[in-house]
């Protein structure tokens, strides 16, 4: 008996990330090869023709799992009945814009999207915010959609998490699937802290700590961190466009693990509403190590945080608190 | 016990179709979710930095199935040991270019790539040409890689095939998975013939029926349906201001997957293949036929009745392919 279709919303669907993401969703990468989907795609009126072009291509691809496509510039229509919402749409920073201007534009967008989601999404809708500033956009969304459980509103740090895995796999010349349990702490920004203190590599004999195999703390505490933090800029430099492929793939991983569960012994990184664990500021969206089961995430507790890490966790936490203040000042 | 990795080459990998295609390959859409992959990506010198950017993103995506990535501007390195080659790279038509100029540039490219593939690819390498003019590029590749079995050289008409299925599904307001056995005959160009005479639809809780009787509008099927499918590429460009990357990449995956893993029972697909004279189509050109696939081999579905209307269209597209072949050969002299 085939499963009932799940409605997945992608906002900003006419853009680069959307174009990479929708075929992944339609092929079952996000929810499994046996889960039919109905795609809701939202973008702004200037993008209406391009959005329709994407819809046409989705029809042209004859995807077996894709049971319907709603392409619209109407946020109410877009949000109606959605079970999963991937918020890719946002106002990009343009040359000459101040941080406050970018924040201000995005705060308005996420305030109104919050309202539409709250009123029209299916109960227990899971939300993933991708558009930057991801953590603060997610926070605004949470604040203005009070009837959506706070635990259902997350932001994407899985891209940074996957980038960290990739860097370790390249350094050690091992398969990326043999590396696990890195952590991305904090903000999806250049203050993020990629932490390998608890990461391991599967070797023929046993699982070994990354630190032990890399044998280069200077690299792990220096270049490794900055490479992961600045990877987005490196991609832009090479491609002249920002990371769409890897961001879309990470969004699928984030949702899939959240909905279908993380493998035994493995955690992932998600930006979630902080409960003050690890002395991170409460009341911001902060990236933590989490395991997922039965559609719920749980912060991995009890990990030892050394002094070096403590400083970095606090730094990114402080930035998130400042962003929250800036966001609220834009609303007043 | 994990399978041995398969080496898949994508040429023109730094471009739009390549960017859509490589994550699909890396997720197992092309060869199955249990088949590890080594990706070979080739592009031209001016695209080196962009190509490296794509490689970086593939690393950043931490794909479990992706064992390695070779990103290069050297065709000999790119072709080494490849089991599957998807030729997306080609010279696009620019404003003011004559048809002969486009043909001339692509003929040179495909002659050179043929040579590299023949020398370096793994035995029994399966080749899919996507870059336009797809059929003739594939023919040139075949002619200049004589040790690659001609049955291993194909071109993409699966995009048109899928588009035809999509148009019927929209017309019938039914899921595309319930429509099958359209045929794309001939050239991947505006002379292609999307034929529904043998296509069927299986409505929910009902038995399989001919598309013609369920649509009940022969006029639409013989006119607007055909021109919509033929001109769909242009419609996408008009809407997106860019050509179809997402759907072309997806169709390339479908083409290879069905070729390698087999078509479902009772279903055929469309592939541009080296004509053996079936259906009165001259041999010596790459022509799209209905095929079934089994054990890594395609076979033309034989014995289908061809009415007069279809005959005319099938011959027209063959005629264009013969003209393209003549033009291509004239460029070589």
């Amino acid at each position: 008996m085939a499963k009932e279709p799940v409605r997945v919303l992608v906002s900003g669907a006419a853009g680069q990330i959307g174009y990479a993401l929708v075929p992944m969703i339609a092929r079952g990468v996000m929810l499994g090869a046996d889960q039919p989907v109905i795609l809701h795609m939202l973008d702004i009126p200037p993008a209406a023709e391009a959005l329709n072009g994407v819809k046409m291509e989705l029809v042209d691809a004859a995807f077996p799992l894709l049971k319907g496509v709603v392409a619209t510039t109407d946020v109410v229509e877009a949000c109606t009945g959605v079970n999963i919402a991937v918020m890719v749409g946002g106002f990009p920073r343009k040359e000459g814009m101040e941080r406050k201007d970018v924040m201000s534009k995005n705060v308005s967008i996420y305030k109104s999207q919050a309202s539409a989601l709250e009123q029209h999404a299916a109960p227990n809708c899971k939300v993933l915010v991708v558009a930057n500033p991801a953590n603060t956009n997610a926070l605004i969304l949470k604040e203005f959609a009070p009837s959506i459980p706070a635990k259902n509103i997350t932001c994407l740090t899985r891209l940074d998490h996957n980038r960290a895995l990739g860097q370790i796999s390249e350094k050690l010349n091992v398969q990326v699937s043999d590396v696990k349990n890195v952590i991305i702490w904090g903000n999806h920004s250049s203050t993020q802290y990629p932490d390998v203190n608890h990461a391991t590599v599967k070797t023929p004999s046993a699982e070994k700590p990354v630190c032990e195999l890399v044998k280069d703390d200077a690299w792990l505490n220096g270049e490794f961190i900055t490479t992961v933090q600045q990877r987005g800029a490196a991609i832009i430099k090479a491609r002249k466009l920002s990371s769409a492929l890897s961001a879309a793939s990470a969004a699928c991983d984030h949702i899939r693990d959240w909905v279908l569960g993380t493998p035994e012994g493995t955690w992932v990184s998600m930006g979630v509403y902080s409960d003050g664990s690890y002395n991170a500021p409460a009341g911001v969206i902060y990236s933590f190590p989490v395991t997922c089961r039965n559609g719920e995430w749980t912060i991995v507790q009890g990990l030892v945080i050394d002094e070096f890490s403590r400083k970095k966790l606090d730094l990114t936490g402080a930035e998130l608190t400042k962003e929250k203040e800036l966001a609220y000042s834009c609303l007043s």
Side-chain angles (χ1 to χ4, degrees), chain A residues 205-316:
Chain A
S205 47
E207 245 167 54
K208 296 206 165 120
V210 161
C211 301
E212 207 181 282
L213 288 173
V214 168
K215 285 200 252 294
D216 188 347
D217 282 355
W219 181 80
L220 284 171
N221 291 342
E223 197 186 318
F224 164 75
I225 290 176
T226 53
T227 295
V228 176
Q229 286 173 338
Q230 296 165 15
R231 188 68 159 185
I235 300 294
I236 291 176
K237 184 167 183 290
R239 296 193 62 236
K240 311 293 180 275
L241 290 163
S242 60
S243 348
L245 183 163
S246 47
S249 191
C252 289
D253 290 341
H254 174 114
I255 296 289
R256 190 197 55 250
D257 287 349
W258 188 2
V259 171
L260 299 179
T262 44
E264 177 84 22
T266 303
W267 63 67
V268 293
S269 302
M270 284 173 63
V272 297
Y273 194 65
S274 172
D275 61 355
S277 293
Y278 295 100
N279 274 319
V284 294
I285 305 276
Y286 191 100
S287 183
F288 287 100
V290 301
T291 54
C292 302
R293 195 158 169 265
N294 295 333
E296 309 257 346
W297 55 263
T298 309
I299 294 174
V300 175
Q301 299 291 355
L303 299 172
V304 177
I305 306 297
D306 65 18
E307 218 179 297
F308 178 88
S309 301
R310 184 75 256 154
K311 288 199 181 71
K312 294 225 172 271
L313 262 75
D314 291 342
L315 190 75
T316 186

Side-chain angles (χ1 to χ4, degrees), chain A residues 38-262:
Chain A
I38 294 170
L39 257 172
H40 287 221
M41 302 196 297
L42 171 69
D43 218 302
I44 54 175
E49 224 195 334
L51 187 66
N52 194 48
V54 182
K55 177 174 179 175
M56 286 162 73
E57 283 212 70
L58 288 171
V59 170
D60 291 353
F63 290 118
L65 281 179
L66 189 58
K67 296 295 183 179
V69 181
V70 174
T72 179
T73 55
D74 178 340
V75 69
V76 171
E77 193 187 349
C79 292
T80 298
V82 302
N83 308 104
I84 310 254
V86 186
M87 317 301 283
V88 180
F91 204 95
R93 182 185 215 129
K94 298 192 172 141
E95 201 141 6
M97 274 178 91
E98 293 288 334
R99 201 159 160 262
K100 191 175 165 64
D101 305 320
V102 187
M103 182 66 77
S104 177
K105 290 235 179 272
N106 280 295
V107 159
S108 307
I109 291 170
Y110 278 85
K111 181 178 168 186
S112 68
Q113 309 240 288
S115 190
L117 265 178
E118 186 182 46
Q119 283 166 55
H120 300 282
N124 207 29
C125 175
K126 287 174 161 54
V127 183
L128 166 61
V129 176
V130 176
N132 281 318
N135 302 56
T136 302
N137 285 340
L139 184 67
I140 294 301
L141 200 155
K142 179 236 167 260
E143 297 295 325
F144 288 95
S147 68
I148 298 182
K151 65 185 172 68
N152 279 12
I153 298 173
T154 63
C155 82
L156 189 72
T157 53
R158 183 60 173 269
L159 177 53
D160 314 281
H161 181 104
N162 287 350
R163 284 169 171 167
L165 293 175
Q167 289 304 303
I168 298 295
S169 78
E170 288 206 308
K171 180 79 171 180
L172 293 173
N173 203 28
V174 296
Q175 287 305 308
V176 72
S177 49
D178 289 336
V179 187
K180 67 178 191 178
N181 293 353
V182 298
I183 303 166
I184 303 296
W185 297 99
N187 199 4
H188 175 66
S189 74
S190 57
T191 68
Q192 66 179 260
Y193 171 44
D195 171 9
V196 300
N197 287 307
H198 310 278
T200 60
V201 179
K202 191 162 86 175
T203 70
S205 47
E207 245 167 54
K208 296 206 165 120
V210 161
C211 301
E212 207 181 282
L213 288 173
V214 168
K215 285 200 252 294
D216 188 347
D217 282 355
W219 181 80
L220 284 171
N221 291 342
E223 197 186 318
F224 164 75
I225 290 176
T226 53
T227 295
V228 176
Q229 286 173 338
Q230 296 165 15
R231 188 68 159 185
I235 300 294
I236 291 176
K237 184 167 183 290
R239 296 193 62 236
K240 311 293 180 275
L241 290 163
S242 60
S243 348
L245 183 163
S246 47
S249 191
C252 289
D253 290 341
H254 174 114
I255 296 289
R256 190 197 55 250
D257 287 349
W258 188 2
V259 171
L260 299 179
T262 44

